[in-house]
Amino acid sequence: MKIGILISGRGSNMVALVDAAKSDEIPDSEVVVVISDNPDAAGLSKARDRGVEALVIERKGRSREDHDLEIVSALREREVDLVCLAGYMRLLSPEFVNAFPARIVNIHPSLLPSFPGLDAQQQAIDQGVKISGCTVHVVDEFLDNGAIIVQQAVEVRDDDSAETLAARILDREHIAYVEAVKKIASGRLRIEGSRTVFSG
Ligand code: GRF
């Protein structure tokens, strides 16, 4: 399975996936390209250090569709089977989503459907929930929507700041994302309506 990863920043989830594919923890898979919309993304050099092609495709005032179609072309040229969003800070156009039906996944730092959108960890603290976590889900054209593949729960402590909670969730993200991609690579995950079912 050829994987393409889209990032906008730090790229720690991308690194977790690249390393898991290289070590065969995710069997029969390879990350063939990392694409960032942000030329300053720290993840770009982390990908290159690992021998993975890393491209910058900036929006540059274009429409979302035009920007997305350039990214879709780059992914198709490399025969990517699965697109993983990993801290990619843009909503995909319907054209992008339709180019890879049910083959785009995202990670979000909350237990969806709670706290979609930006600052999910601060939203959880403000709401006073005692448990939060992370979600890997199939991407559709709506923000942080789509069938859930894997979730991991994290305790919210009374003295947590958004930063301390984010750090604890991030540790779980790296595990959850690898687990989700392993499930997809196994060919035993299917989508049934609004949910995924794994026949393990
Ligand atoms: C993660 O918390 C992810 O859930 C969210 O953005 C952050 C990206 O972190 N979508 P990184 O770039 O993978 O380190």
Side-chain angles (χ1 to χ4, degrees):
M1 186 172 73
K2 292 187 179 178
I3 301 170
I5 305 181
L6 270 54
I7 63 169
S8 296
R10 178 179 53 191
S12 70
N13 280 290
M14 175 274 295
V15 165
L17 292 175
V18 168
D19 290 350
K22 276 191 188 296
S23 69
D24 242 20
E25 190 184 348
I26 306 173
D28 305 321
S29 297
E30 184 192 0
V31 177
V32 294
V33 67
V34 170
I35 299 175
S36 172
D37 62 322
N38 169 17
D40 300 322
L44 287 165
S45 58
K46 296 177 190 172
R48 291 181 187 127
D49 287 348
R50 288 165 172 76
V52 178
E53 182 186 20
L55 303 176
V56 176
I57 302 181
E58 288 181 83
R59 172 102 173 238
K60 282 190 183 152
R62 289 178 288 179
S63 70
R64 184 164 61 138
E65 289 71 24
D66 286 351
H67 182 216
D68 279 1
L69 287 175
E70 187 181 347
I71 297 172
V72 166
S73 299
L75 294 167
R76 283 202 169 131
E77 276 168 25
R78 291 158 183 82
E79 300 180 327
V80 163
D81 304 299
L82 178 71
V83 181
C84 295
L85 309 184
Y88 185 64
M89 299 305 287
R90 291 181 187 276
L91 186 64
L92 302 191
S93 61
E95 287 80 359
F96 194 149
V97 175
N98 293 334
F100 292 92
R103 302 302 284 176
I104 309 175
V105 294
N106 181 43
I107 187 153
H108 183 75
S110 76
L111 295 176
L112 291 172
S114 292
F115 315 129
L118 291 175
D119 301 323
Q121 303 93 340
Q122 187 64 54
Q123 291 186 55
I125 289 172
D126 292 346
Q127 183 64 43
V129 296
K130 300 301 183 193
I131 298 198
S132 191
C134 61
T135 303
V136 183
H137 64 94
V138 179
V139 170
D140 61 19
E141 62 202 81
F142 303 106
L143 183 67
D144 300 327
N145 201 57
I148 290 169
I149 304 168
V150 169
Q151 292 188 301
Q152 288 223 359
V154 167
E155 179 194 2
V156 182
R157 297 182 187 151
D158 292 348
D159 61 354
D160 262 333
S161 63
E163 289 70 30
T164 59
L165 179 59
R168 207 170 324 110
I169 292 175
L170 191 65
D171 286 343
R172 298 297 184 86
E173 290 185 39
H174 301 156
I175 297 164
Y177 219 162
V178 169
E179 185 187 337
V181 174
K182 269 170 86 167
K183 285 186 166 179
I184 295 166
S186 75
R188 288 184 279 141
L189 187 77
R190 61 182 197 282
I191 300 179
E192 280 185 2
S194 59
R195 60 184 201 140
T196 66
V197 178
F198 182 65
S199 42

